[in-house]
Amino acid sequence: MKPVTPSQHVPVIFGTAGHIDHGKSSLVQALTGTDPDRFKEEKERGITIDLGFAFLSPSIALIDVPGHERFIKNMVAGAATVDFAILVIAADDGVMPQTREHVEILELLGVKSGMVALTKKDKVDEDWLDLVQEDVKEYLESTVFADAPLYVCDSLSGDGIEAIRSALFDLAAQKQQAGTGNHFYMPVDRVFSVKGHGTVVTGSVLSGQVRPEDNVGLLPWGRTLRVRRLQSQGREIPQVVAGNRAALNLADVDVEDISRGMVLATPDVFQASRYLDVKLHALSSFGKPLLHRQRMRVHAGTAEVMARLAMMDGERIDPGQDGFVQLILESPLALRRGERFVIRQYSPLRTIGGGEVLNPNPEKHKRNRPEVLDRLKQLAEGTLAGWIVQRVDQATSLRLDELAGLLDQTEETLQTDVDALVEDGRLVRLETGNRVASGAIFAAWLESASSYLDAFHQKYPLRAGMRRQELLQKTKIAAKGFVSDFMRHGFGNGSLRAVGTDLVALPTFEINLTRKEQQMVQRLEQELRNAAFMPPQAKEAAHLVGLPKADALLEYLVYLNRAVCLEGFFFHQENLRSAEQSLARRFSEQERLTVAEIRDLFNTSRKYAVPLVTYFDALGWTKREEDVRIRGEKLSEL
């Protein structure tokens, strides 16, 4: 039969699955001509211990995984990166324990389709073969392989191999794109040294691309490495993209520094964490509930770590049920959102569940909190909007480019969702830096700020508002360093009112004076006029009008722009306007004035002259040159 050639070039990875000694490696060798068993022990014992790799075409790779129960962790490491599965069942054995466990693992890892290969047809007669096929189909009816095509073959003679090869190309053609995401991400499954070249790692590229001389981050340790060269199928290539099997030759790193389970990725995009928020499914076949604080093995990507379950709702997940859990890892993992994982019993070894990573870098949660459960439910919906809100809530505020990097998206793809989230209040758009903030945290901050302002207005009904810095300090904790941005947003949307340059008030607040207070304000204002350039401080002003305190009334005059407070002295605005005219006349006659000369000009003393001159400098009426003042640019001309 003429060999089948691929009809598409999107990279595709197939993985075998099945019980030990059911012919997985022999099938891969028959399909590709490559023996996937790499180690001497594997060849001597006739079983696959570690992952093996072969290529059906330049764009189609096959991963051969071990079937023995002792090597399930290696099987999971291979299955975690495949697009389609080939379930291998020997005709002389039929469905066996590891067949069932492998199928459960594939389902937990989200492998949705594939094919079934019934091998070793030469070992049985036709009647037995028919019975086995019926048994296999009956078992598969309740699995992801319910609609998968079934092929019968003999790998040694080649009978049926071309039909399987053709079916693999047909399946491969169904894959429309090679992975998702813009940033490079590759779990490491093999590490070795090549004489004259140094350290080489291999893996399946799950997103992005990489070229020689690019820098990649090694996670979980955070070290940055340089890619010397790339290979695929034994030949050097200029780049690898999502969906490729690839070998990366890395500079300045020893083989001992890298191991399976680590990840190579675009630097500073992905992070390792000891906590994972997950949606966890308990296998019905296990027959026991998963319990809070239970210790187990977590298999994710190509990594295996020990962890404990922290149930977010209740104390258990019953067989066949789902639940929200925070995995507390004993070693950090670098994963992506949406990544699938499997959990196995600590001892004896047995697959007991698995699920999906909702948040790969969460904060540690307190249990049985409605707000935590609501957020996890939103993430479980899988919408991009839910991920945006989660990331922004976690950081309080992010630039759009930062958000795009964290979500492995482009700013353009985020824009529609961000606009909709701003519209319904789940995000707020800040004025500076193309930045969005958490709508929930802003609402909490605004509630806190409004509470402080309401109390302030009740305590000081004649003050126009609270000083901005005071309000910023009081609400600092609520907004994690973004209070200034939040205050400006509050001014912009009308939630707060700016009073001058230094005060802030509630938009509904108004100063309402009693008749007596109006009379006191008029008397105080007249005293300030009469005092000219030797005005009173607050205590002296109160004494002049017969009040115990006059601070609030004086601040009201400042609010009305009828007075200015300079170092505790209250100058009337009319006197200051006349001072501008006096200064202008004197500078038309004299180019330089000392502080003493300005003091004499206004018939005052040094204690008043110093704050006056400082005020003139700030307004631009005067300009300091050494120990004298010259005419400032803002001083009016006569």
Side-chain angles (χ1 to χ4, degrees), residues 224-480:
T224 300
L225 306 174
R226 178 173 59 85
V227 178
R228 279 177 171 161
R229 54 183 60 86
L230 301 169
Q231 279 196 351
S232 183
Q233 302 181 64
R235 58 187 179 85
E236 198 158 320
I237 53 177
Q239 74 170 10
V240 290
V241 299
N244 284 143
R245 284 290 307 172
L248 280 66
N249 179 202
L250 302 173
D252 305 320
V253 63
D254 296 328
V255 170
E256 295 77 15
D257 295 331
I258 307 181
S259 60
R260 174 182 291 173
M262 292 184 177
V263 169
L264 293 177
T266 302
D268 304 320
V269 172
F270 303 98
Q271 298 176 345
S273 174
R274 288 185 180 270
Y275 300 98
L276 297 173
D277 287 345
V278 304
K279 184 177 182 181
L280 181 61
H281 176 75
L283 285 176
S284 298
S285 60
F286 181 52
K288 298 178 183 178
L290 304 180
L291 303 176
H292 176 61
R293 296 293 299 167
Q294 187 173 349
R295 190 168 185 248
M296 78 272 306
R297 303 172 188 272
V298 175
H299 298 268
T302 58
E304 176 192 10
V305 301
M306 300 303 300
R308 288 194 184 274
L309 301 181
M311 300 290 179
M312 293 293 100
D313 187 16
E315 299 294 327
R316 56 194 277 167
I317 302 175
D318 290 325
Q321 301 301 307
D322 296 336
F324 293 113
V325 173
Q326 185 163 76
L327 296 180
I328 304 174
L329 308 175
E330 295 183 11
S331 301
L333 281 181
L335 300 176
R336 303 175 303 162
R337 61 184 177 87
E339 199 150 348
R340 309 288 298 192
F341 66 93
V342 168
I343 60 171
R344 304 194 79 218
Q345 190 171 246
Y346 175 58
S347 181
L349 292 175
R350 183 176 174 183
T351 303
I352 59 178
E356 178 185 3
V357 175
L358 301 179
N359 184 358
N361 300 103
E363 299 175 344
K364 186 176 181 180
H365 300 313
K366 292 184 178 180
R367 300 177 60 232
N368 301 314
R369 296 297 179 94
E371 65 275 13
V372 172
L373 289 171
D374 286 345
R375 185 174 298 177
L376 293 176
K377 289 174 184 176
Q378 290 176 3
L379 295 182
E381 292 173 0
T383 62
L384 182 58
W387 288 107
I388 291 171
V389 172
Q390 185 275 327
R391 281 297 191 181
V392 177
D393 282 353
Q394 189 173 356
T396 301
S397 172
L398 287 170
R399 295 194 315 271
L400 278 187
D401 62 329
E402 294 173 327
L403 180 60
L406 288 170
L407 295 176
D408 198 13
Q409 301 286 331
T410 65
E411 290 185 52
E412 291 74 17
T413 58
L414 296 182
Q415 197 62 61
T416 299
D417 283 301
V418 167
D419 290 344
L421 290 167
V422 169
E423 183 70 23
D424 69 15
R426 296 172 71 186
L427 296 181
V428 296
R429 199 184 305 278
L430 302 180
E431 293 180 6
T432 56
N434 198 23
R435 184 178 288 274
V436 291
S438 163
I441 295 177
F442 170 75
W445 177 86
L446 183 60
E447 182 179 357
S448 174
S450 299
S451 178
Y452 279 117
L453 286 172
D454 184 59
F456 181 89
H457 291 325
Q458 291 187 46
K459 186 175 181 179
Y460 305 107
L462 298 184
R463 295 188 182 180
M466 181 186 286
R467 295 194 182 281
R468 293 190 186 192
Q469 193 59 39
E470 181 181 358
L471 183 60
L472 293 177
Q473 289 297 324
K474 286 182 178 295
T475 58
K476 185 175 182 179
I477 296 175
K480 302 180 181 179

Side-chain angles (χ1 to χ4, degrees), residues 135 476 538 610:
D135 287 343
K476 185 175 182 179
V610 170

Side-chain angles (χ1 to χ4, degrees), residues 47-342:
I47 64 171
T48 299
I49 296 172
D50 206 345
L51 301 175
F53 305 95
F55 288 88
L56 190 63
S57 77
S59 62
I60 301 177
L62 274 71
I63 300 179
D64 182 34
V65 304
H68 197 289
E69 61 178 347
R70 288 166 48 201
F71 307 118
I72 286 288
K73 67 177 184 180
N74 294 343
M75 180 269 169
V76 176
T81 58
V82 306
D83 300 304
F84 303 101
I86 308 171
L87 180 62
V88 180
I89 302 174
D92 57 344
D93 271 347
V95 176
M96 297 292 283
Q98 263 59 65
T99 308
R100 298 178 186 277
E101 187 168 17
H102 280 209
V103 169
E104 287 180 332
I105 289 170
L106 291 171
E107 290 177 329
L108 291 170
L109 292 176
V111 178
K112 299 298 185 185
S113 60
M115 60 173 291
V116 182
L118 194 60
T119 60
K120 301 187 180 183
K121 64 175 290 188
D122 60 308
K123 301 285 187 181
V124 299
D125 58 33
E126 288 297 327
D127 291 340
W128 182 263
L129 187 62
D130 291 339
L131 288 173
V132 170
Q133 289 187 70
E134 290 301 317
D135 287 343
V136 168
K137 290 177 180 178
E138 183 179 351
Y139 161 65
L140 294 177
E141 282 180 357
S142 60
T143 74
V144 293
F145 291 95
D147 298 320
L150 187 150
Y151 297 88
V152 179
C153 70
D154 173 13
S155 300
L156 297 181
S157 69
D159 186 7
I161 294 300
E162 286 304 324
I164 293 176
R165 183 183 288 115
S166 177
L168 292 178
F169 281 119
D170 290 342
L171 271 175
Q174 296 176 18
K175 186 178 178 185
Q176 298 301 313
Q177 59 180 21
T180 58
N182 303 296
H183 299 291
F184 177 69
Y185 182 91
M186 187 189 85
V188 174
D189 53 39
R190 289 174 57 199
V191 186
F192 52 92
S193 180
V194 175
K195 187 175 180 179
H197 296 283
T199 300
V200 176
V201 302
T202 69
S204 300
V205 181
L206 301 186
S207 72
Q209 60 184 21
V210 70
R211 299 181 179 89
E213 301 305 317
D214 282 352
N215 288 331
V216 292
L218 176 64
L219 298 168
W221 311 128
R223 184 175 174 184
T224 300
L225 306 174
R226 178 173 59 85
V227 178
R228 279 177 171 161
R229 54 183 60 86
L230 301 169
Q231 279 196 351
S232 183
Q233 302 181 64
R235 58 187 179 85
E236 198 158 320
I237 53 177
Q239 74 170 10
V240 290
V241 299
N244 284 143
R245 284 290 307 172
L248 280 66
N249 179 202
L250 302 173
D252 305 320
V253 63
D254 296 328
V255 170
E256 295 77 15
D257 295 331
I258 307 181
S259 60
R260 174 182 291 173
M262 292 184 177
V263 169
L264 293 177
T266 302
D268 304 320
V269 172
F270 303 98
Q271 298 176 345
S273 174
R274 288 185 180 270
Y275 300 98
L276 297 173
D277 287 345
V278 304
K279 184 177 182 181
L280 181 61
H281 176 75
L283 285 176
S284 298
S285 60
F286 181 52
K288 298 178 183 178
L290 304 180
L291 303 176
H292 176 61
R293 296 293 299 167
Q294 187 173 349
R295 190 168 185 248
M296 78 272 306
R297 303 172 188 272
V298 175
H299 298 268
T302 58
E304 176 192 10
V305 301
M306 300 303 300
R308 288 194 184 274
L309 301 181
M311 300 290 179
M312 293 293 100
D313 187 16
E315 299 294 327
R316 56 194 277 167
I317 302 175
D318 290 325
Q321 301 301 307
D322 296 336
F324 293 113
V325 173
Q326 185 163 76
L327 296 180
I328 304 174
L329 308 175
E330 295 183 11
S331 301
L333 281 181
L335 300 176
R336 303 175 303 162
R337 61 184 177 87
E339 199 150 348
R340 309 288 298 192
F341 66 93
V342 168

